[in-house]
Amino acid sequence: MSKFESSIRQIDYPQQIVFQGLSNLDNLSKVQDRIPEDKAKDLSFDNDSVSINVPPVGKITLRIVEREEPKTIKFETVESPLPFNFWIQLLPVTETSCKMKLTIKAELNPFIKAMVSSHLQDGIEKIADVLQMIKYE
């Protein structure tokens, strides 16, 4: 099992507010315009799932499989050329801020791992960038 983790990010909103924002995927509309069209197309979402077309990878659909309020949101792939699990971890820092870390776990053979590792690491950092910029009010 290969594991990819984002750097730990400081978010200047309370843990509970961030959890509520991220655990309802309808809130992605707040960041939809920040995703470059050449990096991701056809973004669609509802409360529990998100689909996106990532050139040249293809269509990826994730569904929330577990919400552990206020600290963890776990996803699994429904549609993807490469099945994986993804989760968001939130930890309180103060009453008005929290830390976030993103993790991807995937079963990768050595050949595929060599081809996709840098892309997955770069991708998880870019996702963390976008989630860190959301105004969670």
Side-chain angles (χ1 to χ4, degrees), residues 21-49:
L22 295 176
S23 64
N24 178 350
L25 297 178
D26 283 327
N27 291 322
L28 287 177
S29 61
K30 294 178 182 177
V31 296
Q32 191 168 7
D33 61 334
R34 294 186 186 159
I35 301 170
E37 189 66 28
D38 64 321
K39 303 289 184 202
K41 300 178 182 201
D42 307 323
L43 177 65
S44 63
F45 44 86
D46 60 30
N47 185 54
D48 294 319
S49 64

